[in-house]
């Protein structure tokens, strides 16, 4: 198989642990295991969705992929090269090939910079276009691509609407003609009617510019709509990954099933049992033994406590991290009273 | 981490802080001062060991290293020891409770450093506590009034008071108070408040012969209470009024502004909206919900203020002729009394570090989110 | 569950039926003074909420839904002015009330639940004390009439459902009033008892432990349950729930929505559920009002609205949401963006984005009209 050609990014056993100092003299360290052994493959020209609740580690995984956060262990192969130890000029060159779009365009754009200077600045920093006339032309071309008109070039972020700001942020990420875009909750600060515009724009850009996307989101509907493949994260690990249609129509991991059942469907005539699982995501500091989902899992057995499951393929292109092949559509009753330990469980920091 | 672990750790760190400060002070005093006074400091120190009153001997003439400690003390051999060795000699004595002799001018000829300190420190303690109470009561009231009526007349008035309080130099304000009292508040030849001293016997509202008290704690306020001499207590307090007002004018301004800004901030928080939506009375919203959150920065400031009061305030003590530790420290500096200065600096450091520790412990009780 | 559906959502053209309405808003206009100009946030809003119903108030950010809720609770920020209109709770106009009466109304009849339970709960007070203070503040709970009434109620419940330890304890505390008022300690014990009951009602495990905990010691879902308990404890006539699941994770949101569905049958309060999520509306509400740029553009039974949305904005909104349960090929988006309310469009505020707009739309403001039974729309397309 010509997999070498189709794989853009290969992540192997990636870890990111954040230490917290404790103890009398701050010597003993405990860790927040934000990313705890993730392996995945991002194919060229696809959109991979990473979904999870807060504390699942999806944002940390994204930042580690972008080398905005250094990994603790593991490798990220981007276009055949391990980028985890890349430094200096190599790293700067790498940045041209991978760009990021953030959740809040108002926070990620400089309020004192016009749209034009925000775009031209990127070209200057990376020296891609030195002539200012050419740079200005390129900026005009980019705003056109993202569906704005040249009038917008002279505006400041506060003079734009939320949707327009996000378009500018997308245009900025495209300045260096990257191959790969990391989209971190790109529509969650936008209104529904505007969200649809941005999602459509992203889909159009992908085909026109042959881009590869990783979309990080807690919004399952958005992921289903835009992603080719989807990975579900829970407490730092991927518990299920597969083609979007497979995963949404036939989830095999009890967590994925619970997550999907929890989304309120905007149709009053679809009857839906909402509370399929109890409790909140536990803290990523004190992880349970064995399978990390077992405390909330209605199917948990002794084996789940004793032995951590590993990601295994159950059908081509569809893997789960669960010991069992469960028939999830025979819906279980919600679990009984939550365990004593859950009461004191602290809040979980956002991912 | 548990709170007691935190306290233990901080106490442990305090030892290092005090050690470092003692070294720095030692170098700054004995290392930089001319050898005469440096050695004289040692000779005083040595006296407690040897009992000899042989101060003038050998000052500044030492040229070679001493064969022994006693040779250095006696100084007949005309020798010096290196500074680091001097430090350990000094430290050894201090750890045994011997702070040496002070060369402050006094009535007794020789004066142990510790006595020079403890004769005056109780006065500073009572003035500090009195001024701190004054600062807290007025500062908190002004801060709360300002915050709850933000940008209205009371807030503007309180801001004006604060600006004035900040800008007036204490020496000028103190003199102004004295003038005011002496010229305008004088009845039958007696001013309303005493303008000088620690026991008011020369004022309109003073009790002329308050009698005497027994020194249980050496702090006059407490001793007069314990001795049951309320006349003495009254006179002691009356004498502190003017110095305390002078001391508090700046700190009240500081504290009230800090509290105002943290109260305004707290009052704009979401939990205040919820508290109001519950239909609670405004008084409950302000005191129970806002003040509990806003008090934390004010407590830090209060800790700093109190420890600065305890260090003695030279200017105010001089103006009101108040026998606190600050003016002694000034005299000691002029007299190059290194033993006294070393003790004074260490006690001040100890007070500041302890005040910070107490503030941190208070934080843990007032804000349940803080875990050390 | 079928509810009385005869009430109008209230409009100038509709007959007023206030007899059963818990909340009736008539022609409410609110604007904000900002340094850029006057923001006309709510522009002539009419709404009526009947007893026991859950009505969804949906719209995008800036449409005025949260402002409306704050206006009802009398908690608008200082730079906001209610220009005109009536807000009637049980027939009493909140705008004509004295400050003290408004406070009493909030204490007894009107509760709010907010979006982010972390910032809305006071971090330095225990969960229990933040709930009991509501009861301890309310003198009506501690007069001899209400004590006698509650004692009768307890006897009735005991006769119907049998004795419980909790009811026995409550009776014992109430009896200690001896015909007069409760002492301070007994009032506190009673408040604690009722707080524990309401914590149990929102399905919080181990209420005795949670009573003593501080907000940061609870998870997001538990905090939101605690805030709901705070609203329920006064048995209010109306609960205003402003985006109460928006800050929560999906699985936790599902649990809170399920709780609301269970509570629906246990309490008498009406709930105004403010949200931007049509999924939440579909799962919880009986009726729904869609807001756009300060106006209600459509009011209908939930099923009718989803089955047959009438207003072009509602149609556009439903087409624009991606769905997790079915694959949609392409999302239909609404062109343009939400208008600037300092200079809102003339006539119908939606007309610049509306695919069906015609001349009249930019001149005249459409009013809510009942075009089908209980289905009200503010749009000239349905003029007969």
């Amino acid at each position: 198989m010509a997999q070498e050609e189709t794989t853009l990014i290969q992540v192997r056993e990636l870890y990111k642990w954040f230490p917290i100092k404790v103890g009398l003299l701050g010597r003993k360290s405990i860790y927040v295991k934000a990313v705890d052994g993730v392996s995945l493959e991002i194919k060229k020209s696809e959109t991979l969705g990473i979904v999870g609740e807060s504390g699942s580690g999806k944002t940390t995984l994204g930042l580690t992929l972008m080398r905005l956060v250094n990994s603790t262990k593991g490798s990220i192969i981007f276009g055949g090269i391990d980028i985890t130890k890349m430094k200096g000029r190599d790293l700067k060159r790498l940045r041209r090939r991978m760009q990021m779009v953030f959740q809040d365009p108002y926070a990620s754009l400089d309020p004192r910079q016009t749209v034009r200077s925000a775009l031209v600045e990127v070209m200057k920093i990376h020296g891609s276009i030195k002539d200012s006339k050419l740079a200005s032309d390129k900026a005009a071309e980019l705003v056109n691509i993202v569906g704005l008109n040249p009038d917008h070039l002279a505006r400041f972020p506060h003079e734009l609407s939320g949707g327009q700001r996000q378009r500018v942020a997308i245009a900025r990420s495209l300045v260096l003609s990257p191959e790969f875009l990391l989209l971190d909750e790109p529509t969650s600060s936008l209104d529904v009617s505007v969200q649809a515009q941005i999602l459509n724009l992203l889909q159009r850009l992908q085909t026109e510019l042959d881009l590869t996307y990783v979309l990080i989101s807690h919004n399952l509907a958005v992921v289903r709509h835009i992603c080719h493949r989807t990975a579900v994260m829970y407490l730092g690990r991927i518990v299920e990954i597969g083609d979007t249609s497979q995963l949404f129509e036939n989830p095999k991991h009890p967590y994925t099933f619970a997550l999907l059942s929890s989304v309120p469907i905007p149709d009053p005539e679809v009857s839906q049992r909402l509370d399929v699982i109890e409790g909140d995501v536990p803290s990523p500091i004190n992880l349970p033994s064995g399978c990390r989902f077992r405390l909330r899992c209605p199917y948990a057995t002794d084996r789940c406590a004793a032995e951590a499951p590993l990601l295994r393929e159950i059908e081509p292109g569809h893997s789960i991290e669960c010991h069992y092949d469960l028939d999830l559509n025979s819906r279980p009753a919600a679990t009984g009273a939550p365990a004593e330990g859950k009461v004191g469980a602290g809040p979980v920091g956002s991912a | 981490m548990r709170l007691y672990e935190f306290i233990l750790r901080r106490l442990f760190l305090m030892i290092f802080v005090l050690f470092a400060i003692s070294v720095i002070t030692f170098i700054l005093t004995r290392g930089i001062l001319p050898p005469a006074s440096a050695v004289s400091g040692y000779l005083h120190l040595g006296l407690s060991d040897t009992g000899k009153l042989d101060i003038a001997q050998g000052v500044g003439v030492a040229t070679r290293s001493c064969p022994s400690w006693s040779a250095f003390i006696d100084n007949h051999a005309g020798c010096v020891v290196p500074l680091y060795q001097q430090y350990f000699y000094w430290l050894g004595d201090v750890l045994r409770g011997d702070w040496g002799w002070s060369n402050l001018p006094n009535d007794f000829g020789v004066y142990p450093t510790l006595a020079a300190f403890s004769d005056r420190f109780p006065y500073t303690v009572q003035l500090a506590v009195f001024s701190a109470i004054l600062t807290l009561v007025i500062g908190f009231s002004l801060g709360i009034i300002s915050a709850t009526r933000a940008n209205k007349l009371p807030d503007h008035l309180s801001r004006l008071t604060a600006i004035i309080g900040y800008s007036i130099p204490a020496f000028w304000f103190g003199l102004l108070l004295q003038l005011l009292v002496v010229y305008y508040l004088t009845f039958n030849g007696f001013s309303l408040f005493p303008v000088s001293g620690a026991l008011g016997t020369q004022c309109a509202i003073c009790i002329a012969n308050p009698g005497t008290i027994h020194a249980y704690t050496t702090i006059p306020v407490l001793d007069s209470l314990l001795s049951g001499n309320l006349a003495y207590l009254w006179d002691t307090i009356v004498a502190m009024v003017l110095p305390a007002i002078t001391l508090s004018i700046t700190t009240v301004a500081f504290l009230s502004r800090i509290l105002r800004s943290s109260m305004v901030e707290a009052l704009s928080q979401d939990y205040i909206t919820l508290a109001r939506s519950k239909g609670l009375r405004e008084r409950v919203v302000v005191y129970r919900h806002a003040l509990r959150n806003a008090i934390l920065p004010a407590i830090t400031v209060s800790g700093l203020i109190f420890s600065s009061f305890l260090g003695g305030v030279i200017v105010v003590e001089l103006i009101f002729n108040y026998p606190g530790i600050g003016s002694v420290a000034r005299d000691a500096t002029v007299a190059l009394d290194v033993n006294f200065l070393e003790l004074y600096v260490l006690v001040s450091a100890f007070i500041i570090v302890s005040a910070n520790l107490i503030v941190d412990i208070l934080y843990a009780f007032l804000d349940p989110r803080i875990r050390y | 569950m079928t509810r009385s559906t005869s009430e109008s959502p209230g409009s100038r053209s509709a007959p007023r039926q206030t007899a059963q309405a818990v909340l009736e808003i008539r022609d409410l206009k609110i604007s904000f003074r900002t340094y850029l100009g006057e923001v006309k946030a709510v522009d002539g809003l009419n709404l009526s909420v009947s007893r026991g119903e859950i009505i969804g108030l949906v719209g995008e950010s800036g449409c005025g839904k949260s402002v409306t809720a704050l206006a009802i609770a009398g908690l608008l920020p200082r730079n906001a002015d209610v220009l005109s209109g009536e807000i009637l709770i049980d027939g009493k106009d909140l705008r004509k009330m004295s400050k003290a009466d408004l406070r009493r109304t909030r204490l007894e009849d009107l509760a709010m639940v907010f979006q982010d339970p972390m910032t809305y709960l006071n971090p330095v007070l225990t969960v229990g004390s933040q709930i009991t203070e509501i009861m301890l503040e309310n003198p009506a709970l501690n007069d001899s009439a209400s004590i006698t009434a509650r004692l009768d109620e307890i006897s009735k419940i005991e006769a119907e459902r049998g004795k419980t330890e909790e009811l026995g304890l409550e009776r014992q505390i109430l009896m200690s009033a001896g015909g007069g008022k409760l002492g301070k300690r007994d009032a506190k014990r009673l408040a604690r008892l009722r707080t524990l009951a309401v914590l149990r009602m929102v399905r919080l495990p181990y209420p005795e432990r949670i009573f003593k905990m501080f907000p940061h010691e609870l998870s997001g879902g538990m905090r939101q349950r605690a805030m709901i308990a705070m609203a329920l404890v006064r048995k209010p006539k109306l609960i205003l729930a402003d985006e109460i699941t928006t800050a929560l994770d999906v699985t936790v949101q599902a649990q809170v929505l399920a709780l609301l569905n269970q509570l629906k049958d246990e309490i008498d309060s009406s709930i105004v559920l403010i949200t931007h999520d049509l999924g939440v509306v579909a799962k919880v509400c009986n009726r729904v009002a869609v807001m756009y740029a300060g106006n209600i553009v459509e009011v209908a039974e939930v099923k009718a609205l989803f089955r047959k949305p009438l207003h072009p904005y509602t149609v556009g909104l439903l087409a624009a949401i991606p769905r997790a349960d079915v694959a949609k090929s392409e999302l239909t988006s609404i062109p343009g963006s939400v208008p600037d309310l300092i200079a809102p469009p003339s006539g119908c505020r939606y007309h610049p984005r509306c695919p069906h707009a015609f001349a009249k739309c930019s001149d005249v403001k459409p009013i809510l009209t009942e075009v089908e039974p209980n289905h009200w729309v503010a749009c000239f397309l349905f003029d007969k």
Side-chain angles (χ1 to χ4, degrees):
Chain A
M1 245 178 102
Q3 215 179 29
E4 296 304 307
E5 289 165 30
T6 56
T7 303
L8 181 69
I9 301 176
Q10 174 100 43
V11 178
R12 287 201 201 112
E13 284 297 303
L14 193 68
Y15 290 83
K16 179 63 202 178
W17 290 6
F18 294 101
I20 309 170
K21 297 251 184 289
V22 292
L24 194 60
L25 292 167
R27 292 271 173 75
K28 202 170 72 187
S29 278
I30 53 171
Y31 295 94
V32 177
K33 298 173 180 174
V35 176
D36 198 26
V38 165
S39 299
L40 57 83
E41 189 177 283
I42 301 157
K43 299 193 186 104
K44 195 150 180 28
S45 313
E46 77 163 347
T47 304
L48 174 70
I50 298 178
V51 291
E53 297 179 278
S54 54
S56 65
K58 56 186 192 302
T59 298
T60 310
L61 175 62
L63 294 174
T64 315
L65 274 183
M66 297 300 294
R67 282 296 315 275
L68 293 171
V69 161
N70 286 331
S71 56
T72 309
K73 209 167 78 181
S75 62
I76 305 164
I77 318 280
F78 182 89
I81 310 155
D82 188 349
I83 63 167
T84 39
K85 305 224 160 45
M86 214 175 244
K87 277 190 194 122
R89 190 177 295 175
D90 287 341
L91 190 61
K92 197 176 167 188
R93 209 172 296 139
L94 175 73
R95 297 249 185 267
R96 294 191 190 182
R97 300 177 64 191
M98 50 205 305
Q99 289 287 318
M100 187 164 176
V101 176
F102 295 90
Q103 171 173 352
D104 183 357
Y106 204 55
S108 64
L109 294 173
D110 183 341
R112 281 162 307 223
Q113 245 183 352
T114 60
V115 173
R116 180 183 286 111
S117 63
L119 297 177
V120 170
E121 184 188 55
V122 183
M123 301 178 208
K124 289 207 172 129
I125 289 171
H126 284 270
S128 63
I129 297 177
K130 291 199 173 70
D131 182 74
S132 26
K133 174 75 178 65
L134 284 179
S136 215
D137 289 348
K138 172 86 179 171
E141 184 195 324
L142 282 166
V143 289
N144 188 36
I145 288 178
V146 296
L148 296 172
N149 58 51
D151 295 349
H152 291 113
L153 278 172
R155 296 208 190 154
F156 288 95
H158 70 266
E159 297 172 306
L160 301 170
S161 71
Q164 288 169 334
R165 278 196 286 266
Q166 196 58 290
R167 283 172 196 268
V168 172
I170 292 170
R172 190 180 53 178
S173 73
L174 295 175
V175 168
L176 302 165
S177 317
E179 297 153 62
F180 172 71
L181 279 190
L182 180 77
L183 310 166
D184 188 3
E185 307 267 12
T187 60
S188 55
S189 67
L190 303 176
D191 283 319
V192 186
S193 67
V194 182
Q195 165 174 286
Q197 295 169 9
I198 298 293
L199 292 179
N200 290 341
L201 171 71
L202 288 170
Q203 280 184 317
R204 181 168 63 76
L205 290 174
Q206 182 165 45
T207 8
E208 283 176 11
L209 304 172
D210 192 26
L211 293 166
T212 306
Y213 290 154
V214 163
L215 175 85
I216 293 169
S217 183
H218 68 278
N219 188 329
L220 289 150
V222 166
V223 167
R224 165 149 217 191
H225 185 72
I226 200 175
C227 298
H228 304 108
R229 288 195 306 135
T230 300
V232 179
M233 279 189 83
Y234 188 76
L235 288 176
R237 284 186 75 86
I238 289 178
V239 295
E240 182 160 4
I241 182 166
D243 288 343
T244 300
S245 54
Q246 268 177 346
L247 187 132
F248 277 79
E249 273 150 35
N250 195 11
K252 287 293 186 187
H253 194 285
Y255 177 63
T256 313
F257 177 79
L259 206 57
L260 291 173
S261 320
S262 298
V263 181
I265 297 165
D267 185 347
E269 284 166 64
V270 176
S271 77
Q272 190 181 1
R273 190 202 153 89
L274 283 164
D275 51 340
V276 283
I277 50 169
E278 300 250 357
D280 288 17
V281 182
S283 147
I285 297 171
N286 299 311
L287 294 170
S289 69
C291 172
R292 48 197 74 192
F293 182 59
R294 69 180 169 84
L295 294 179
R296 296 171 82 194
C297 182
Y299 304 97
T301 62
D302 291 345
R303 185 181 169 199
C304 301
E307 192 187 330
L310 292 171
L311 204 62
R312 64 190 173 92
E313 195 164 57
I314 45 162
E315 55 185 310
H318 190 178
S319 306
I320 58 168
E321 198 170 82
C322 178
H323 293 304
Y324 302 103
D325 293 304
L326 298 164
D327 178 17
L328 292 164
N329 287 317
S330 61
R331 300 188 173 190
T335 47
E340 179 94 2
K342 286 181 190 171
V343 179
V348 178
S350 77
Chain B
M1 199 178 356
R2 298 272 185 283
L3 187 61
Y4 74 87
E5 269 182 30
F6 168 77
I7 296 172
L8 274 180
R9 189 170 76 170
R10 290 284 294 265
L11 289 175
F12 187 63
L13 283 174
M14 191 193 280
I15 296 171
F16 287 96
V17 170
L18 293 180
F19 176 75
I21 287 173
S22 74
V23 169
I24 293 167
T25 320
F26 199 91
I27 292 170
L28 287 180
T29 51
R30 290 176 174 87
I32 294 169
L33 286 177
S37 47
V39 175
S40 83
Y42 265 92
L43 291 176
H44 293 312
L45 182 78
L47 286 174
S48 59
D49 284 350
T50 59
K52 289 182 188 168
L53 289 164
D54 199 6
I55 300 171
Q57 280 271 349
V59 169
V61 295
T63 49
R64 57 197 177 84
S65 65
C66 299
S68 68
W69 174 227
S70 55
F72 171 65
I73 292 302
D74 294 346
N75 214 7
H76 296 308
C79 61
V80 288
V81 294
L83 198 61
Y84 75 89
Q85 219 168 328
Q86 291 180 29
Y87 175 77
F88 288 109
Y89 290 153
W90 172 83
L91 187 65
D93 283 347
V94 162
L95 290 178
R96 269 178 262 127
D98 181 357
W99 290 85
W101 298 80
S102 163
N103 59 8
L104 284 169
N106 62 83
D107 305 336
F108 318 108
V110 286
Y111 201 20
T113 307
L114 214 49
F117 189 86
S118 57
D119 279 355
R120 297 292 195 85
F121 193 57
Y123 290 94
T124 292
V125 170
Q126 66 178 23
L127 182 61
V129 171
F130 188 73
S131 310
I133 291 171
L134 206 65
T135 303
L136 290 181
V137 170
I138 301 174
F140 267 67
S141 321
L142 279 184
I144 292 168
I145 290 169
S146 290
T148 49
R149 293 164 187 75
N151 296 320
K152 290 185 184 155
L153 187 66
D155 186 25
H156 294 315
L157 287 179
S158 141
R159 180 178 293 131
L160 191 70
T161 318
I163 291 170
I164 293 170
Y166 264 141
S167 346
I168 292 187
F171 65 88
W172 187 71
F173 186 70
L175 291 172
L176 211 65
L177 273 184
Q178 285 179 327
L179 273 177
L180 180 82
V181 168
V182 170
Y183 276 97
Y184 299 101
L185 299 174
T186 297
F187 313 97
N188 303 327
F190 285 110
S191 57
L192 184 64
F193 294 108
V195 291
S196 168
L199 188 65
T201 47
Q202 297 288 315
C203 81
I205 54 169
C206 295
I207 292 150
N209 293 305
T212 51
I213 51 166
H214 189 270
Y216 296 100
T217 63
T218 71
I219 299 173
V221 169
L222 285 181
D223 287 343
S224 51
L225 263 179
L226 291 173
S227 313
N229 188 339
L230 295 181
Y232 200 99
L233 177 69
W234 172 251
D235 278 3
T236 313
I237 290 174
V238 158
M240 285 194 288
V241 169
L242 294 185
I245 290 175
T246 313
L247 270 181
S248 304
I249 181 106
T250 326
T251 52
V252 160
F254 191 36
L255 185 64
S256 68
R257 290 284 97 186
I258 292 276
L259 191 68
R260 178 199 180 266
S261 66
S262 60
M263 270 297 269
V264 166
E265 156 114 22
L267 283 167
S268 69
Q269 295 294 310
D270 288 341
Y271 52 76
I272 297 298
T273 311
L274 179 70
R276 293 214 168 100
S277 87
K278 291 199 279 196
L280 303 178
R281 276 165 299 154
E282 195 58 22
R283 208 165 55 84
V284 178
V285 172
V286 169
Y287 288 97
R288 192 173 143 84
H289 285 267
L291 188 60
R292 285 282 289 265
N293 284 281
I295 207 167
L296 294 173
I299 283 189
T300 308
V301 170
S302 307
L304 288 174
I305 289 173
F306 189 57
S307 49
S308 75
F309 284 168
L310 273 181
V313 192
I314 297 167
V315 174
V316 172
E317 287 175 11
L318 287 178
I319 292 170
F320 293 99
N321 195 22
Y322 193 85
I325 200 70
S327 47
V328 188
R330 193 200 123 232
D331 294 344
T333 313
V334 173
L336 299 178
D337 185 350
V338 285
N339 282 338
F340 182 86
L341 288 177
E342 186 84 56
L343 173 62
Y344 175 70
V345 169
L346 278 178
V347 171
S348 300
F350 177 78
I351 288 167
I352 289 169
V353 175
S354 317
N356 280 334
L357 179 61
I358 291 167
V359 164
D360 286 341
I361 294 169
L362 273 177
Y363 258 63
F365 280 106
L366 289 169
D367 189 341
R369 286 166 297 180
I370 292 175
R371 287 285 168 273
Y372 295 111
Chain C
M1 173 184 331
T2 50
R3 301 210 174 251
S4 155
T5 52
S6 57
E7 289 91 33
S8 70
S11 101
R12 273 164 280 171
S13 61
R16 284 175 182 168
Q17 298 191 334
T18 51
Q20 263 193 301
V22 169
L23 170 72
E24 176 97 36
I25 302 177
R26 290 185 199 139
D27 195 32
L28 183 68
K29 284 187 183 161
I30 303 168
S31 74
F32 283 83
R33 283 167 276 123
T34 70
Y35 69 98
L36 291 172
E38 188 190 358
V39 177
K40 297 159 192 91
V42 176
D43 183 43
L45 181 130
N46 292 292
L47 183 70
S48 136
V49 179
S50 50
R51 197 177 154 80
E53 79 168 335
I54 301 192
I55 182 164
L57 197 56
V58 277
E60 299 178 280
S61 53
C63 73
K65 53 191 195 299
S66 295
V67 175
T68 305
L70 289 174
I72 297 169
L75 292 171
L76 282 173
R78 277 190 196 160
N79 64 334
D81 299 309
V82 177
L83 302 177
S84 70
E86 293 175 328
I87 302 168
L88 307 170
I89 290 211
D90 252 6
K92 285 171 288 182
D93 192 346
L94 293 177
R95 292 193 57 213
K96 296 195 182 106
M97 276 186 191
S98 68
K99 259 191 171 169
D101 285 344
L102 188 61
R103 188 176 69 74
R104 281 295 292 272
T105 309
R106 290 205 288 262
L107 190 61
E108 289 165 19
D109 296 336
L110 180 70
M112 261 194 106
V113 186
F114 294 93
Q115 172 173 354
D116 182 354
M118 185 71 233
T119 64
Y120 278 94
L121 292 176
N122 194 325
V124 303
L125 300 175
T126 60
V127 171
S129 73
Q130 292 188 57
I131 302 178
T132 50
E133 68 177 353
I134 301 170
M135 281 170 284
L136 296 173
E137 275 282 298
N138 192 347
L141 288 179
N142 191 14
D143 60 18
S144 53
S146 74
I147 290 174
T148 327
R150 178 63 188 162
L151 278 171
D152 292 346
E153 203 180 350
I154 291 174
S155 313
K156 227 172 88 186
I157 299 169
E158 280 183 342
E160 277 172 25
R161 289 178 239 163
K163 290 187 177 184
T164 63
E165 198 181 324
E166 204 186 310
L167 285 172
L169 197 58
E170 189 173 350
R171 178 204 299 276
Q172 193 196 328
I173 297 171
L174 289 169
M175 297 289 261
S176 69
K181 283 186 174 186
L182 285 171
K184 215 172 182 179
R185 264 193 68 222
D186 284 325
K188 270 191 178 163
R189 280 175 64 208
L190 183 68
R192 185 186 134 86
L193 200 68
R194 289 192 179 156
T195 301
L196 292 177
V198 82
L199 288 175
R200 236 167 262 134
M201 196 168 170
V202 295
R203 278 81 174 165
L204 275 169
Y206 309 101
E208 286 86 359
R209 277 170 62 183
I210 287 188
F211 189 93
K212 284 182 285 187
M213 282 181 167
F214 290 95
H216 72 279
E217 296 174 290
L218 305 181
S219 68
M222 290 167 140
R223 283 196 286 264
Q224 193 55 278
R225 280 167 201 262
M227 198 145 65
I228 294 171
M230 222 171 264
L232 295 179
V233 79
R234 30 192 154 162
K235 301 195 172 102
K237 294 197 173 89
L238 181 68
I239 299 175
L240 302 165
D242 189 1
E243 299 275 11
I244 58 169
T245 59
T246 308
L248 304 176
D249 275 323
V250 188
T251 53
V252 181
Q253 160 171 292
Q255 294 161 19
V256 171
L257 295 180
L259 172 70
L260 283 182
N261 277 331
Q262 290 162 344
L263 289 173
K264 229 195 275 200
D265 303 326
E266 293 173 30
I267 60 173
D268 293 329
S269 314
S270 311
I271 301 178
V272 177
L273 190 74
I274 293 155
T275 179
H276 67 281
D277 188 341
L278 283 161
V280 170
V281 171
K283 294 298 131 182
V284 182
C285 299
N286 310 114
R287 272 198 316 143
V288 54
V290 181
M291 278 190 86
Y292 182 78
N295 295 116
I296 289 181
V297 294
E298 186 163 1
V299 184
E301 301 276 309
V302 164
K303 280 189 180 169
L305 186 108
F306 280 85
R307 197 183 297 142
K308 194 183 166 200
L310 295 179
H311 196 281
Y313 174 65
T314 318
V315 175
L317 207 57
L318 282 170
I321 38 175
R323 286 177 65 159
D325 58 325
V326 283
K328 271 187 172 182
S329 54
E330 207 194 335
L331 296 177
T332 323
S333 60
I334 303 174
S337 53
V338 179
D340 176 7
L341 294 181
I342 292 175
S346 60
C348 171
R349 286 180 171 187
Y350 188 58
H351 85 262
R353 302 176 79 187
C354 181
H356 309 291
F358 49 98
K360 193 181 179 189
C361 300
S362 54
D363 295 339
V364 189
K365 189 185 162 189
I367 50 172
L368 271 179
T369 325
E370 190 169 23
V371 294
E372 278 170 32
N374 298 313
H375 199 146
W376 298 68
V377 186
C379 181
F380 294 123
L381 290 175
F382 304 94
D383 264 357
K384 280 163 203 158

